[in-house]
Amino acid sequence: MGHTIEKTFRFDAGHRSLGFNYKKEETIHGHTWQLRLILEYGDQLDDMKTVFDTNELAVIVEPIISDLDHSFIIWDQDPIYDEFLKVCELADVADKVYTVDFNPTIEGLVEHIYERVNSQLRLSGCVLRRVELQCASTLKASYGLN
């Protein structure tokens, strides 16, 4: 039997998702996103009865949150991408455009965040079991190990 540690983060970001039957998702809109990381630890607790210092996790995640917070997440294949980037450059906010190589649905974003965090995770004995991303009180997606 192992231990589970969960850590929650929050960020605000806009996006638009393409390919839906309803135009609602294709409008430029934003959310206050809730991100939850679930880590599993299979070893014994250390002498201090901890799994790890959660600040070590924050060192990995905070730069990712900083990239996303108050950004606009846009697919590089979005038909408005080039013009949108020009407008953002004119407004001197191009540094807050977060370009991705996938349609920025909640499912795509949670997988993207999982991969970014997991690629940097170096906590001995810990596995990133799951990442959950919530964009509204009625919509949440998760990605990770089964």
Side-chain angles (χ1 to χ4, degrees):
M1 183 180 290
H3 292 83
T4 300
I5 298 289
E6 298 181 13
K7 180 106 173 114
T8 303
F9 300 86
R10 185 195 81 42
F11 63 94
D12 296 302
H15 75 131
R16 79 182 206 129
S17 302
L18 304 178
F20 290 90
N21 291 332
Y22 302 97
K23 295 292 181 195
K24 179 179 172 184
E25 293 304 317
E26 292 188 7
T27 62
I28 292 174
H29 65 282
H31 305 279
T32 295
W33 303 82
Q34 301 292 328
L35 174 67
R36 187 166 76 134
L37 303 163
I38 303 156
L39 292 99
E40 200 169 85
Y41 185 76
D43 294 338
Q44 296 293 317
L45 296 178
D46 64 18
D47 292 339
M48 300 302 289
K49 293 296 182 196
T50 62
V51 171
F52 62 87
D53 181 348
T54 56
N55 291 306
E56 293 179 44
L57 182 58
V59 166
I60 294 167
V61 178
E62 287 298 338
I64 297 168
I65 297 300
S66 180
D67 288 346
L68 290 165
D69 194 35
H70 288 87
S71 73
F72 188 81
I73 306 162
I74 189 167
W75 184 17
D76 60 6
Q77 298 301 306
D78 189 312
I80 70 166
Y81 177 76
D82 292 331
E83 293 302 316
F84 183 80
L85 198 54
K86 286 178 190 174
V87 168
C88 290
E89 287 167 353
L90 284 172
D92 198 27
V93 293
D95 61 322
K96 293 311 289 180
V97 175
Y98 188 88
T99 303
V100 294
D101 61 358
F102 58 89
N103 191 17
T105 61
I106 189 172
E107 300 92 337
L109 288 169
V110 74
E111 181 178 356
H112 173 75
I113 293 168
Y114 176 93
E115 296 298 339
R116 277 194 71 182
V117 172
N118 199 45
S119 71
Q120 299 176 52
L121 193 62
R122 304 286 181 269
L123 299 173
S124 181
C126 281
V127 173
L128 182 58
R129 175 62 56 193
R130 193 150 219 67
V131 172
E132 295 177 354
L133 187 61
Q134 186 169 347
C135 66
S137 62
T138 59
L139 184 59
K140 179 178 5 179
S142 67
Y143 183 81
L145 304 173
N146 290 329

